[in-house]
Amino acid sequence: AQSVTQPDIHITVSEGASLELRCNYSYGATPYLFWYVQSPGQGLQLLLKYFSGDTLVQGIKGFEAEFKRSQSSFNLRKPSVHWSDAAEYFCAVGARPGQNFVFGPGTRLSVLP
Amino acid sequence: TAGITQAPTSQILAAGRSMTLRCTQDMRHNAMYWYRQDLGLGLRLIHYSNTAGTTGKGEVPDGYSVSRANTDDFPLTLASAVPSQTSVYFCASSEEPRADTQYFGPGTRLTVL
């Protein structure tokens, strides 16, 4: 069965600084990978997804993520963080039909002015 | 479009009482899902439905039941609530079952005393 780890429970960065949120997955084949963001009191919003092809994927709000098969990773990046990016970020892995999504525990991002 | 709506927004429930959390989507998606979100555990799948008339068990189904009488509605019922069911509950849908992008509702915060 697939699993997802997000090693960082909480990250604090200054506004304008770069950001990288880590995600590692365990799955025997090529997974479907997702990053979701949850703003306080809100539901989850899809940032980006990877199914196949180019391993660097672009998402909304200036985020990007890179799939690295050799490292079983799908880290989320943003070159310059804005105060509105403060939220909880969830990495998720899905498989081809037959298995459901598995979400990581989440990383809470705080942004300092 | 409204997307996914959930009701109620929040609820305090006495242990032993029953309750139904409502979820409605207007996107004509085939698949729907119920997750619970707990601190440090991320989102865990409770039940899912690949299409109207069918349901399946997720990772943590005990104490919960669902039905899918039509495409739009996917209610979650707690027959006899226990304090460990205190959580935030999210309903989600996807155009096709599993491995596809999921769209989330705003959540229901449930406290069982």
Side-chain angles (χ1 to χ4, degrees):
Chain A
Q2 64 265 42
S3 65
V4 180
T5 57
Q6 293 179 247
D8 305 304
I9 296 174
H10 184 202
I11 286 181
T12 300
V13 300
S14 298
E15 191 169 19
S18 63
L19 171 70
E20 183 169 28
L21 302 183
R22 296 182 290 165
C23 171
N24 294 97
Y25 67 90
S26 173
Y27 183 61
T30 300
Y32 292 5
L33 294 162
F34 306 81
W35 275 100
Y36 283 85
V37 60
Q38 183 183 27
S39 298
Q42 303 295 315
L44 279 73
Q45 180 184 21
L46 180 68
L47 280 177
L48 48 78
K49 60 187 176 183
Y50 171 78
F51 287 174
S52 64
D54 192 346
T55 57
L56 183 64
V57 293
Q58 303 296 320
I60 62 171
K61 304 185 179 186
F63 285 93
E64 66 177 26
E66 186 171 12
F67 170 58
K68 293 186 177 180
R69 183 189 303 276
S70 62
Q71 299 177 17
S72 297
S73 69
F74 189 56
N75 293 350
L76 182 71
R77 301 194 293 251
K78 186 169 184 178
S80 178
V81 170
H82 187 263
W83 64 267
S84 61
D85 293 325
E88 187 98 19
Y89 291 81
F90 293 93
C91 182
V93 59
R96 298 189 180 279
Q99 291 182 302
N100 287 303
F101 276 36
V102 173
F103 283 83
T107 297
R108 184 160 62 92
L109 174 66
S110 297
V111 180
L112 299 175
Chain B
T1 60
I4 297 180
T5 57
Q6 292 184 237
T9 301
S10 65
Q11 181 73 45
I12 298 174
L13 187 68
R17 300 296 295 270
S18 66
M19 176 161 187
T20 295
L21 308 185
R22 299 185 299 278
C23 173
T24 300
Q25 54 109 352
D26 63 1
M27 298 175 283
R28 308 301 295 172
H29 284 175
N30 283 316
M32 297 186 74
Y33 314 84
W34 273 106
Y35 293 90
R36 60 177 290 172
Q37 182 183 32
D38 302 291
L39 191 64
L41 297 176
L43 280 79
R44 294 180 292 169
L45 183 66
I46 304 171
H47 285 287
Y48 64 92
S49 169
N50 288 339
T51 188
T54 70
T55 62
K57 293 182 179 180
E59 181 184 355
V60 289
D62 294 343
Y64 305 95
S65 64
V66 292
S67 61
R68 188 86 183 277
N70 57 62
T71 297
D72 298 342
D73 301 300
F74 190 43
L76 175 74
T77 297
L78 289 68
S80 179
V82 295
S84 62
Q85 292 178 308
T86 294
S87 186
V88 181
Y89 291 86
F90 287 100
C91 180
S93 71
S94 63
E95 190 170 346
E96 295 298 332
R98 306 160 184 156
D100 196 13
T101 304
Q102 295 188 8
Y103 300 86
F104 286 79
T108 293
R109 182 175 296 276
L110 179 66
T111 302
V112 182
L113 301 176

